Amino acid sequence: MFPESVEESTESRQPLVQPASSSAVGTRVEVGQPGFSKRTNTGNNVNRTPTRTSFNLQRAKTSLLTPTKSIGPAPSFLQSIKSIVMASWLNLLLVCIPVSWALNFAMKDQHTLVFVFSFLSIIPLAKLLAFATDELSIRVGQTLAGLLNATLGNAVELIVAIIALTQCKLHIVQSSLVGSILSNLLLVLGMCFFAGGLRFSEQGFSAVATQLNSSLLTLSVIAVLLPAAFHMNVTGSTDSDEGQDILKVSHGVALILLFIYASYLFFQLYSHATLYTDDGVPPSIPYPKRKAEGAESQAGGDLEQSKPVEDEETPQMSLYTTIALLVIVTVLVAVTAEWLVDSIDGLTATGVIQEEFVGIILLPIVGNAAEHVTAVTVSVKDKLTLSLGVAVGSSIQIALFVIPFIITLGWILGKPLTLLFDPYESITLFLAVLTVNYCVQDGKSNWLEGMILMCLYVILCVTFWYYPGSDPSGLLNTCT
């Protein structure tokens, strides 16, 4: 908290800020509201010194649960059902769900058809999951909204990884999780920058929070690269039980990563929640209008200024309907994802498509469909901080929670899943994090940065189409 009075110097016991009658006339110190910056005016210069209030659990809880806008009355049950049906044209793909189920039981040997229809079925389910998440998000603060979008957006990846783990498809588990990070960092974030850059010449976001997130991603990359370095520098003569040692190292590192993720949640939601808001973020810069366009839109601009500002958010579903939709969609995703994973072996056995491409490209695109739509939509609405919370926050959650959780779950189930990923996957992950770090370090974005990230993802898609994959640890094929 800010002190009520200005501190006195310990040497002279004179006020640090002289009154207006002294020689320091023209210097003014303004102390803003708690959590904002302190502004010092000296002549025509304005200096802003970041300040932060002391940690208060009640204040943090209020900021998390208090929505940015007031919430309007909840609709009726029938209106909620109508909103679900009319949520997106992707709902037309919901007819693929019974088709995929029927194909799985009636034509189980038609793996390609089962995979295609299961693939198409998860896309509308992911969109409905995003729709329900948005309805929950408007009822809470912006920071918690970003966490909800990232968490529920990763539900599909988590379900697919658990099913693949129980079926001993450990390579699919590893490649799908690395692919999810690549998809979020390059495709989703690139689309956010590009879509927002089409409307604004430059968009700003919290550089401090983003750099912190980049540090966490770098830490996760280190956790993936160290087992690879261990493997490359150990031979059979120096360590005859290398595979088991790497497995033990992976278990220990996974527990440490889970602890880091818990600390990150406390940091984001409580102690430094103000870092993840739009306070102090530089405003977006729109494209300059031509003179003719400016003259034509002057009258329209005056009318827009006279319009009242919408301070109320109208929910499209009631709270109970939203929760019920989340539960139903999660169950449907779990069942459909099982058919999807079951058909991967038959699909890749034809030799037309590599298992590596399925795991690192196709499955993450399906799983990230919800985050993709949400992040791009809010970036066009000039809410880039929320977009970063969804895209980058989702990557952090996969790297620091989902991967170590799956490693720990495999430890409990007796599956030899390690942090020793395919070397090519580890290198691409490192390059992706490095590229994103360069793009976000200035706290600003434009459409070209978005195109760079998207083009890098397309390059990776081309290379993974031909890459057959490898098992450096030799443990993945020993799963029973």
mmCIF file with all atom_site columns, all heavy atoms in Angstrom, residues 330-354:
data_model
loop_
_atom_site.group_PDB
_atom_site.id
_atom_site.type_symbol
_atom_site.label_atom_id
_atom_site.label_alt_id
_atom_site.label_comp_id
_atom_site.label_asym_id
_atom_site.label_entity_id
_atom_site.label_seq_id
_atom_site.pdbx_PDB_ins_code
_atom_site.Cartn_x
_atom_site.Cartn_y
_atom_site.Cartn_z
_atom_site.occupancy
_atom_site.B_iso_or_equiv
_atom_site.pdbx_formal_charge
_atom_site.auth_seq_id
_atom_site.auth_comp_id
_atom_site.auth_asym_id
_atom_site.auth_atom_id
_atom_site.pdbx_PDB_model_num
ATOM 1   N N   . THR A 1 330 ? -17.216 -32.678 -22.875 1.00 0.00 ? 330 THR A N   1
ATOM 2   C CA  . THR A 1 330 ? -16.011 -33.392 -22.436 1.00 0.00 ? 330 THR A CA  1
ATOM 3   C C   . THR A 1 330 ? -16.181 -34.900 -22.577 1.00 0.00 ? 330 THR A C   1
ATOM 4   O O   . THR A 1 330 ? -15.260 -35.603 -23.022 1.00 0.00 ? 330 THR A O   1
ATOM 5   C CB  . THR A 1 330 ? -15.692 -33.034 -20.975 1.00 0.00 ? 330 THR A CB  1
ATOM 6   O OG1 . THR A 1 330 ? -15.523 -31.608 -20.855 1.00 0.00 ? 330 THR A OG1 1
ATOM 7   C CG2 . THR A 1 330 ? -14.414 -33.716 -20.518 1.00 0.00 ? 330 THR A CG2 1
ATOM 8   N N   . VAL A 1 331 ? -17.358 -35.421 -22.232 1.00 0.00 ? 331 VAL A N   1
ATOM 9   C CA  . VAL A 1 331 ? -17.617 -36.856 -22.367 1.00 0.00 ? 331 VAL A CA  1
ATOM 10  C C   . VAL A 1 331 ? -17.598 -37.271 -23.836 1.00 0.00 ? 331 VAL A C   1
ATOM 11  O O   . VAL A 1 331 ? -16.994 -38.296 -24.214 1.00 0.00 ? 331 VAL A O   1
ATOM 12  C CB  . VAL A 1 331 ? -18.969 -37.218 -21.720 1.00 0.00 ? 331 VAL A CB  1
ATOM 13  C CG1 . VAL A 1 331 ? -19.338 -38.670 -22.023 1.00 0.00 ? 331 VAL A CG1 1
ATOM 14  C CG2 . VAL A 1 331 ? -18.920 -36.989 -20.215 1.00 0.00 ? 331 VAL A CG2 1
ATOM 15  N N   . LEU A 1 332 ? -18.220 -36.467 -24.702 1.00 0.00 ? 332 LEU A N   1
ATOM 16  C CA  . LEU A 1 332 ? -18.228 -36.783 -26.129 1.00 0.00 ? 332 LEU A CA  1
ATOM 17  C C   . LEU A 1 332 ? -16.825 -36.743 -26.716 1.00 0.00 ? 332 LEU A C   1
ATOM 18  O O   . LEU A 1 332 ? -16.458 -37.578 -27.562 1.00 0.00 ? 332 LEU A O   1
ATOM 19  C CB  . LEU A 1 332 ? -19.149 -35.808 -26.881 1.00 0.00 ? 332 LEU A CB  1
ATOM 20  C CG  . LEU A 1 332 ? -20.647 -35.933 -26.602 1.00 0.00 ? 332 LEU A CG  1
ATOM 21  C CD1 . LEU A 1 332 ? -21.423 -34.844 -27.329 1.00 0.00 ? 332 LEU A CD1 1
ATOM 22  C CD2 . LEU A 1 332 ? -21.154 -37.311 -27.009 1.00 0.00 ? 332 LEU A CD2 1
ATOM 23  N N   . VAL A 1 333 ? -16.019 -35.781 -26.275 1.00 0.00 ? 333 VAL A N   1
ATOM 24  C CA  . VAL A 1 333 ? -14.637 -35.695 -26.756 1.00 0.00 ? 333 VAL A CA  1
ATOM 25  C C   . VAL A 1 333 ? -13.850 -36.928 -26.320 1.00 0.00 ? 333 VAL A C   1
ATOM 26  O O   . VAL A 1 333 ? -13.062 -37.492 -27.102 1.00 0.00 ? 333 VAL A O   1
ATOM 27  C CB  . VAL A 1 333 ? -13.961 -34.411 -26.235 1.00 0.00 ? 333 VAL A CB  1
ATOM 28  C CG1 . VAL A 1 333 ? -12.460 -34.465 -26.452 1.00 0.00 ? 333 VAL A CG1 1
ATOM 29  C CG2 . VAL A 1 333 ? -14.533 -33.190 -26.933 1.00 0.00 ? 333 VAL A CG2 1
ATOM 30  N N   . ALA A 1 334 ? -14.047 -37.363 -25.081 1.00 0.00 ? 334 ALA A N   1
ATOM 31  C CA  . ALA A 1 334 ? -13.310 -38.525 -24.576 1.00 0.00 ? 334 ALA A CA  1
ATOM 32  C C   . ALA A 1 334 ? -13.628 -39.773 -25.383 1.00 0.00 ? 334 ALA A C   1
ATOM 33  O O   . ALA A 1 334 ? -12.724 -40.540 -25.754 1.00 0.00 ? 334 ALA A O   1
ATOM 34  C CB  . ALA A 1 334 ? -13.644 -38.737 -23.098 1.00 0.00 ? 334 ALA A CB  1
ATOM 35  N N   . VAL A 1 335 ? -14.912 -40.002 -25.681 1.00 0.00 ? 335 VAL A N   1
ATOM 36  C CA  . VAL A 1 335 ? -15.295 -41.200 -26.431 1.00 0.00 ? 335 VAL A CA  1
ATOM 37  C C   . VAL A 1 335 ? -14.804 -41.119 -27.872 1.00 0.00 ? 335 VAL A C   1
ATOM 38  O O   . VAL A 1 335 ? -14.218 -42.078 -28.418 1.00 0.00 ? 335 VAL A O   1
ATOM 39  C CB  . VAL A 1 335 ? -16.822 -41.385 -26.390 1.00 0.00 ? 335 VAL A CB  1
ATOM 40  C CG1 . VAL A 1 335 ? -17.233 -42.578 -27.244 1.00 0.00 ? 335 VAL A CG1 1
ATOM 41  C CG2 . VAL A 1 335 ? -17.296 -41.564 -24.962 1.00 0.00 ? 335 VAL A CG2 1
ATOM 42  N N   . THR A 1 336 ? -15.007 -39.966 -28.508 1.00 0.00 ? 336 THR A N   1
ATOM 43  C CA  . THR A 1 336 ? -14.601 -39.815 -29.901 1.00 0.00 ? 336 THR A CA  1
ATOM 44  C C   . THR A 1 336 ? -13.091 -39.865 -30.048 1.00 0.00 ? 336 THR A C   1
ATOM 45  O O   . THR A 1 336 ? -12.564 -40.412 -31.030 1.00 0.00 ? 336 THR A O   1
ATOM 46  C CB  . THR A 1 336 ? -15.143 -38.485 -30.463 1.00 0.00 ? 336 THR A CB  1
ATOM 47  O OG1 . THR A 1 336 ? -16.542 -38.397 -30.214 1.00 0.00 ? 336 THR A OG1 1
ATOM 48  C CG2 . THR A 1 336 ? -14.902 -38.401 -31.964 1.00 0.00 ? 336 THR A CG2 1
ATOM 49  N N   . ALA A 1 337 ? -12.366 -39.287 -29.073 1.00 0.00 ? 337 ALA A N   1
ATOM 50  C CA  . ALA A 1 337 ? -10.899 -39.316 -29.124 1.00 0.00 ? 337 ALA A CA  1
ATOM 51  C C   . ALA A 1 337 ? -10.374 -40.735 -29.031 1.00 0.00 ? 337 ALA A C   1
ATOM 52  O O   . ALA A 1 337 ? -9.325  -41.056 -29.614 1.00 0.00 ? 337 ALA A O   1
ATOM 53  C CB  . ALA A 1 337 ? -10.327 -38.460 -27.999 1.00 0.00 ? 337 ALA A CB  1
ATOM 54  N N   . GLU A 1 338 ? -11.081 -41.601 -28.323 1.00 0.00 ? 338 GLU A N   1
ATOM 55  C CA  . GLU A 1 338 ? -10.647 -43.002 -28.240 1.00 0.00 ? 338 GLU A CA  1
ATOM 56  C C   . GLU A 1 338 ? -10.728 -43.672 -29.597 1.00 0.00 ? 338 GLU A C   1
ATOM 57  O O   . GLU A 1 338 ? -9.822  -44.409 -30.002 1.00 0.00 ? 338 GLU A O   1
ATOM 58  C CB  . GLU A 1 338 ? -11.500 -43.757 -27.219 1.00 0.00 ? 338 GLU A CB  1
ATOM 59  C CG  . GLU A 1 338 ? -11.021 -45.174 -26.986 1.00 0.00 ? 338 GLU A CG  1
ATOM 60  C CD  . GLU A 1 338 ? -11.736 -45.857 -25.846 1.00 0.00 ? 338 GLU A CD  1
ATOM 61  O OE1 . GLU A 1 338 ? -12.589 -45.205 -25.206 1.00 0.00 ? 338 GLU A OE1 1
ATOM 62  O OE2 . GLU A 1 338 ? -11.441 -47.036 -25.589 1.00 0.00 ? 338 GLU A OE2 1
ATOM 63  N N   . TRP A 1 339 ? -11.820 -43.423 -30.352 1.00 0.00 ? 339 TRP A N   1
ATOM 64  C CA  . TRP A 1 339 ? -11.911 -43.974 -31.707 1.00 0.00 ? 339 TRP A CA  1
ATOM 65  C C   . TRP A 1 339 ? -10.807 -43.386 -32.585 1.00 0.00 ? 339 TRP A C   1
ATOM 66  O O   . TRP A 1 339 ? -10.247 -44.084 -33.435 1.00 0.00 ? 339 TRP A O   1
ATOM 67  C CB  . TRP A 1 339 ? -13.266 -43.676 -32.344 1.00 0.00 ? 339 TRP A CB  1
ATOM 68  C CG  . TRP A 1 339 ? -14.496 -43.949 -31.529 1.00 0.00 ? 339 TRP A CG  1
ATOM 69  C CD1 . TRP A 1 339 ? -15.674 -43.265 -31.598 1.00 0.00 ? 339 TRP A CD1 1
ATOM 70  C CD2 . TRP A 1 339 ? -14.721 -44.989 -30.564 1.00 0.00 ? 339 TRP A CD2 1
ATOM 71  N NE1 . TRP A 1 339 ? -16.596 -43.787 -30.734 1.00 0.00 ? 339 TRP A NE1 1
ATOM 72  C CE2 . TRP A 1 339 ? -16.038 -44.855 -30.075 1.00 0.00 ? 339 TRP A CE2 1
ATOM 73  C CE3 . TRP A 1 339 ? -13.926 -46.006 -30.035 1.00 0.00 ? 339 TRP A CE3 1
ATOM 74  C CZ2 . TRP A 1 339 ? -16.567 -45.692 -29.117 1.00 0.00 ? 339 TRP A CZ2 1
ATOM 75  C CZ3 . TRP A 1 339 ? -14.450 -46.852 -29.070 1.00 0.00 ? 339 TRP A CZ3 1
ATOM 76  C CH2 . TRP A 1 339 ? -15.745 -46.699 -28.630 1.00 0.00 ? 339 TRP A CH2 1
ATOM 77  N N   . LEU A 1 340 ? -10.509 -42.114 -32.381 1.00 0.00 ? 340 LEU A N   1
ATOM 78  C CA  . LEU A 1 340 ? -9.480  -41.449 -33.178 1.00 0.00 ? 340 LEU A CA  1
ATOM 79  C C   . LEU A 1 340 ? -8.110  -42.094 -32.954 1.00 0.00 ? 340 LEU A C   1
ATOM 80  O O   . LEU A 1 340 ? -7.383  -42.410 -33.905 1.00 0.00 ? 340 LEU A O   1
ATOM 81  C CB  . LEU A 1 340 ? -9.437  -39.960 -32.825 1.00 0.00 ? 340 LEU A CB  1
ATOM 82  C CG  . LEU A 1 340 ? -8.450  -39.094 -33.606 1.00 0.00 ? 340 LEU A CG  1
ATOM 83  C CD1 . LEU A 1 340 ? -8.937  -38.892 -35.029 1.00 0.00 ? 340 LEU A CD1 1
ATOM 84  C CD2 . LEU A 1 340 ? -8.285  -37.739 -32.926 1.00 0.00 ? 340 LEU A CD2 1
ATOM 85  N N   . VAL A 1 341 ? -7.761  -42.293 -31.681 1.00 0.00 ? 341 VAL A N   1
ATOM 86  C CA  . VAL A 1 341 ? -6.460  -42.890 -31.364 1.00 0.00 ? 341 VAL A CA  1
ATOM 87  C C   . VAL A 1 341 ? -6.396  -44.345 -31.832 1.00 0.00 ? 341 VAL A C   1
ATOM 88  O O   . VAL A 1 341 ? -5.348  -44.811 -32.304 1.00 0.00 ? 341 VAL A O   1
ATOM 89  C CB  . VAL A 1 341 ? -6.194  -42.787 -29.846 1.00 0.00 ? 341 VAL A CB  1
ATOM 90  C CG1 . VAL A 1 341 ? -4.914  -43.523 -29.473 1.00 0.00 ? 341 VAL A CG1 1
ATOM 91  C CG2 . VAL A 1 341 ? -6.100  -41.325 -29.429 1.00 0.00 ? 341 VAL A CG2 1
ATOM 92  N N   . ASP A 1 342 ? -7.500  -45.067 -31.719 1.00 0.00 ? 342 ASP A N   1
ATOM 93  C CA  . ASP A 1 342 ? -7.527  -46.469 -32.154 1.00 0.00 ? 342 ASP A CA  1
ATOM 94  C C   . ASP A 1 342 ? -7.222  -46.608 -33.643 1.00 0.00 ? 342 ASP A C   1
ATOM 95  O O   . ASP A 1 342 ? -6.628  -47.606 -34.076 1.00 0.00 ? 342 ASP A O   1
ATOM 96  C CB  . ASP A 1 342 ? -8.901  -47.089 -31.871 1.00 0.00 ? 342 ASP A CB  1
ATOM 97  C CG  . ASP A 1 342 ? -9.093  -47.390 -30.389 1.00 0.00 ? 342 ASP A CG  1
ATOM 98  O OD1 . ASP A 1 342 ? -8.074  -47.493 -29.674 1.00 0.00 ? 342 ASP A OD1 1
ATOM 99  O OD2 . ASP A 1 342 ? -10.250 -47.513 -29.946 1.00 0.00 ? 342 ASP A OD2 1
ATOM 100 N N   . SER A 1 343 ? -7.621  -45.623 -34.435 1.00 0.00 ? 343 SER A N   1
ATOM 101 C CA  . SER A 1 343 ? -7.480  -45.741 -35.892 1.00 0.00 ? 343 SER A CA  1
ATOM 102 C C   . SER A 1 343 ? -6.140  -45.245 -36.414 1.00 0.00 ? 343 SER A C   1
ATOM 103 O O   . SER A 1 343 ? -5.878  -45.362 -37.617 1.00 0.00 ? 343 SER A O   1
ATOM 104 C CB  . SER A 1 343 ? -8.612  -44.951 -36.574 1.00 0.00 ? 343 SER A CB  1
ATOM 105 O OG  . SER A 1 343 ? -8.522  -43.568 -36.244 1.00 0.00 ? 343 SER A OG  1
ATOM 106 N N   . ILE A 1 344 ? -5.287  -44.699 -35.552 1.00 0.00 ? 344 ILE A N   1
ATOM 107 C CA  . ILE A 1 344 ? -4.024  -44.121 -36.031 1.00 0.00 ? 344 ILE A CA  1
ATOM 108 C C   . ILE A 1 344 ? -3.113  -45.192 -36.610 1.00 0.00 ? 344 ILE A C   1
ATOM 109 O O   . ILE A 1 344 ? -2.499  -44.996 -37.678 1.00 0.00 ? 344 ILE A O   1
ATOM 110 C CB  . ILE A 1 344 ? -3.326  -43.354 -34.887 1.00 0.00 ? 344 ILE A CB  1
ATOM 111 C CG1 . ILE A 1 344 ? -4.112  -42.084 -34.551 1.00 0.00 ? 344 ILE A CG1 1
ATOM 112 C CG2 . ILE A 1 344 ? -1.897  -43.001 -35.277 1.00 0.00 ? 344 ILE A CG2 1
ATOM 113 C CD1 . ILE A 1 344 ? -3.525  -41.292 -33.404 1.00 0.00 ? 344 ILE A CD1 1
ATOM 114 N N   . ASP A 1 345 ? -2.993  -46.338 -35.945 1.00 0.00 ? 345 ASP A N   1
ATOM 115 C CA  . ASP A 1 345 ? -2.102  -47.398 -36.424 1.00 0.00 ? 345 ASP A CA  1
ATOM 116 C C   . ASP A 1 345 ? -2.504  -47.877 -37.815 1.00 0.00 ? 345 ASP A C   1
ATOM 117 O O   . ASP A 1 345 ? -1.652  -48.055 -38.703 1.00 0.00 ? 345 ASP A O   1
ATOM 118 C CB  . ASP A 1 345 ? -2.102  -48.573 -35.447 1.00 0.00 ? 345 ASP A CB  1
ATOM 119 C CG  . ASP A 1 345 ? -1.321  -48.263 -34.177 1.00 0.00 ? 345 ASP A CG  1
ATOM 120 O OD1 . ASP A 1 345 ? -0.505  -47.313 -34.201 1.00 0.00 ? 345 ASP A OD1 1
ATOM 121 O OD2 . ASP A 1 345 ? -1.545  -48.947 -33.158 1.00 0.00 ? 345 ASP A OD2 1
ATOM 122 N N   . GLY A 1 346 ? -3.789  -48.086 -38.017 1.00 0.00 ? 346 GLY A N   1
ATOM 123 C CA  . GLY A 1 346 ? -4.245  -48.530 -39.329 1.00 0.00 ? 346 GLY A CA  1
ATOM 124 C C   . GLY A 1 346 ? -4.061  -47.468 -40.395 1.00 0.00 ? 346 GLY A C   1
ATOM 125 O O   . GLY A 1 346 ? -3.769  -47.782 -41.554 1.00 0.00 ? 346 GLY A O   1
ATOM 126 N N   . LEU A 1 347 ? -4.213  -46.201 -40.001 1.00 0.00 ? 347 LEU A N   1
ATOM 127 C CA  . LEU A 1 347 ? -4.032  -45.114 -40.964 1.00 0.00 ? 347 LEU A CA  1
ATOM 128 C C   . LEU A 1 347 ? -2.582  -45.009 -41.412 1.00 0.00 ? 347 LEU A C   1
ATOM 129 O O   . LEU A 1 347 ? -2.293  -44.874 -42.606 1.00 0.00 ? 347 LEU A O   1
ATOM 130 C CB  . LEU A 1 347 ? -4.487  -43.795 -40.327 1.00 0.00 ? 347 LEU A CB  1
ATOM 131 C CG  . LEU A 1 347 ? -4.270  -42.527 -41.150 1.00 0.00 ? 347 LEU A CG  1
ATOM 132 C CD1 . LEU A 1 347 ? -5.182  -42.523 -42.379 1.00 0.00 ? 347 LEU A CD1 1
ATOM 133 C CD2 . LEU A 1 347 ? -4.527  -41.286 -40.301 1.00 0.00 ? 347 LEU A CD2 1
ATOM 134 N N   . THR A 1 348 ? -1.656  -45.066 -40.470 1.00 0.00 ? 348 THR A N   1
ATOM 135 C CA  . THR A 1 348 ? -0.235  -44.916 -40.805 1.00 0.00 ? 348 THR A CA  1
ATOM 136 C C   . THR A 1 348 ? 0.363   -46.178 -41.416 1.00 0.00 ? 348 THR A C   1
ATOM 137 O O   . THR A 1 348 ? 1.423   -46.122 -42.038 1.00 0.00 ? 348 THR A O   1
ATOM 138 C CB  . THR A 1 348 ? 0.574   -44.532 -39.553 1.00 0.00 ? 348 THR A CB  1
ATOM 139 O OG1 . THR A 1 348 ? 0.373   -45.525 -38.527 1.00 0.00 ? 348 THR A OG1 1
ATOM 140 C CG2 . THR A 1 348 ? 0.114   -43.185 -39.026 1.00 0.00 ? 348 THR A CG2 1
ATOM 141 N N   . ALA A 1 349 ? -0.300  -47.316 -41.236 1.00 0.00 ? 349 ALA A N   1
ATOM 142 C CA  . ALA A 1 349 ? 0.221   -48.569 -41.801 1.00 0.00 ? 349 ALA A CA  1
ATOM 143 C C   . ALA A 1 349 ? 0.177   -48.563 -43.323 1.00 0.00 ? 349 ALA A C   1
ATOM 144 O O   . ALA A 1 349 ? 0.927   -49.309 -43.972 1.00 0.00 ? 349 ALA A O   1
ATOM 145 C CB  . ALA A 1 349 ? -0.576  -49.760 -41.261 1.00 0.00 ? 349 ALA A CB  1
ATOM 146 N N   . THR A 1 350 ? -0.662  -47.749 -43.918 1.00 0.00 ? 350 THR A N   1
ATOM 147 C CA  . THR A 1 350 ? -0.739  -47.672 -45.377 1.00 0.00 ? 350 THR A CA  1
ATOM 148 C C   . THR A 1 350 ? 0.497   -47.024 -45.981 1.00 0.00 ? 350 THR A C   1
ATOM 149 O O   . THR A 1 350 ? 0.758   -47.183 -47.175 1.00 0.00 ? 350 THR A O   1
ATOM 150 C CB  . THR A 1 350 ? -1.989  -46.879 -45.794 1.00 0.00 ? 350 THR A CB  1
ATOM 151 O OG1 . THR A 1 350 ? -1.908  -45.542 -45.247 1.00 0.00 ? 350 THR A OG1 1
ATOM 152 C CG2 . THR A 1 350 ? -3.245  -47.557 -45.266 1.00 0.00 ? 350 THR A CG2 1
ATOM 153 N N   . GLY A 1 351 ? 1.258   -46.272 -45.177 1.00 0.00 ? 351 GLY A N   1
ATOM 154 C CA  . GLY A 1 351 ? 2.452   -45.609 -45.674 1.00 0.00 ? 351 GLY A CA  1
ATOM 155 C C   . GLY A 1 351 ? 2.189   -44.286 -46.361 1.00 0.00 ? 351 GLY A C   1
ATOM 156 O O   . GLY A 1 351 ? 3.129   -43.599 -46.777 1.00 0.00 ? 351 GLY A O   1
ATOM 157 N N   . VAL A 1 352 ? 0.926   -43.907 -46.490 1.00 0.00 ? 352 VAL A N   1
ATOM 158 C CA  . VAL A 1 352 ? 0.604   -42.635 -47.142 1.00 0.00 ? 352 VAL A CA  1
ATOM 159 C C   . VAL A 1 352 ? 0.966   -41.463 -46.245 1.00 0.00 ? 352 VAL A C   1
ATOM 160 O O   . VAL A 1 352 ? 1.413   -40.403 -46.717 1.00 0.00 ? 352 VAL A O   1
ATOM 161 C CB  . VAL A 1 352 ? -0.893  -42.593 -47.513 1.00 0.00 ? 352 VAL A CB  1
ATOM 162 C CG1 . VAL A 1 352 ? -1.265  -41.249 -48.134 1.00 0.00 ? 352 VAL A CG1 1
ATOM 163 C CG2 . VAL A 1 352 ? -1.227  -43.733 -48.467 1.00 0.00 ? 352 VAL A CG2 1
ATOM 164 N N   . ILE A 1 353 ? 0.787   -41.619 -44.967 1.00 0.00 ? 353 ILE A N   1
ATOM 165 C CA  . ILE A 1 353 ? 1.035   -40.538 -44.018 1.00 0.00 ? 353 ILE A CA  1
ATOM 166 C C   . ILE A 1 353 ? 1.871   -41.084 -42.859 1.00 0.00 ? 353 ILE A C   1
ATOM 167 O O   . ILE A 1 353 ? 1.697   -42.233 -42.434 1.00 0.00 ? 353 ILE A O   1
ATOM 168 C CB  . ILE A 1 353 ? -0.306  -39.939 -43.515 1.00 0.00 ? 353 ILE A CB  1
ATOM 169 C CG1 . ILE A 1 353 ? -0.058  -38.690 -42.681 1.00 0.00 ? 353 ILE A CG1 1
ATOM 170 C CG2 . ILE A 1 353 ? -1.106  -40.971 -42.755 1.00 0.00 ? 353 ILE A CG2 1
ATOM 171 C CD1 . ILE A 1 353 ? -1.345  -37.953 -42.338 1.00 0.00 ? 353 ILE A CD1 1
ATOM 172 N N   . GLN A 1 354 ? 2.801   -40.266 -42.378 1.00 0.00 ? 354 GLN A N   1
ATOM 173 C CA  . GLN A 1 354 ? 3.683   -40.676 -41.291 1.00 0.00 ? 354 GLN A CA  1
ATOM 174 C C   . GLN A 1 354 ? 2.986   -40.501 -39.938 1.00 0.00 ? 354 GLN A C   1
ATOM 175 O O   . GLN A 1 354 ? 2.180   -39.589 -39.748 1.00 0.00 ? 354 GLN A O   1
ATOM 176 C CB  . GLN A 1 354 ? 4.971   -39.840 -41.307 1.00 0.00 ? 354 GLN A CB  1
ATOM 177 C CG  . GLN A 1 354 ? 5.783   -39.944 -42.576 1.00 0.00 ? 354 GLN A CG  1
ATOM 178 C CD  . GLN A 1 354 ? 6.563   -41.236 -42.659 1.00 0.00 ? 354 GLN A CD  1
ATOM 179 O OE1 . GLN A 1 354 ? 6.605   -42.030 -41.712 1.00 0.00 ? 354 GLN A OE1 1
ATOM 180 N NE2 . GLN A 1 354 ? 7.182   -41.483 -43.809 1.00 0.00 ? 354 GLN A NE2 1
#
